[in-house]
Each structure stands twice: as structure tokens, then as C-alpha cells.
Amino acid sequence: VVSNDHIVSYPNPSSGLIHIAAVGNDRVQNITVFDLYGKKLMSIEALQKSVQIDLGTLAKGMYLVSAQTGTGTYTSKIILK
């Protein structure tokens, strides 16, 4: 589980499915996945409190998942195993 005051993402490490949820009354508006070089691999418009994304098509390794909410943008590292 990766958590801060605004976003929770789990499981970490993951085999592909990642859950991202906004904390409190906030909503996830957009999710963007980057490799460690900063290349954008996917972007998903969410507009929900909780979102499930499938990263199973990506190679094993570490990725940055950026979730935009009404209060800001929050980035966490996700490991695919």
C-alpha cells in the first residue's frame, strides 16, 4: 500500500491490477503512468472516488503512477512483478 494524505494505491508490488483511491471527499480525475525515464505510457480519465487500472501489459519493473485530484497531483512508485 502506498499512501499519502490524498491518495491510496495498492497492492504494491503488483502483478498488474492496481487500485487507486482518493482520500476524504476528493475524486480521482486523471491517472497517468510513466516509465522511470518520464515517458508517458498511458493516461486514463477517471472522475471517480476509486479506480482500478490494469498494468498487466507492461513489462516487469518500476513505474510512476500520477493521480490528479481536485486538490493536486500525487505521484507514487509502483513495482510490477
Side-chain angles (χ1 to χ4, degrees):
V1 175
V2 176
S3 177
N4 61 41
D5 292 340
H6 304 281
I7 293 290
V8 176
S9 56
Y10 61 93
N12 193 15
S14 172
S15 57
L17 286 179
I18 302 289
H19 301 272
I20 299 172
V23 176
N25 293 326
D26 217 350
R27 289 182 176 264
V28 177
Q29 297 175 352
N30 193 330
I31 297 170
T32 307
V33 179
F34 300 93
D35 66 14
L36 292 183
Y37 298 104
K39 180 181 176 186
K40 181 165 62 169
L41 303 175
M42 68 173 64
S43 185
I44 301 164
E45 188 174 324
L47 302 175
Q48 300 176 50
K49 176 103 176 120
S50 179
V51 180
Q52 178 176 303
I53 60 172
D54 186 0
L55 303 180
T57 59
L58 300 177
K60 295 177 183 178
M62 188 178 301
Y63 295 89
L64 300 174
V65 177
S66 180
Q68 181 181 5
T69 70
T71 59
T73 301
Y74 308 95
T75 303
S76 55
K77 293 179 184 174
I78 298 291
I79 298 171
L80 292 182
K81 58 179 182 174

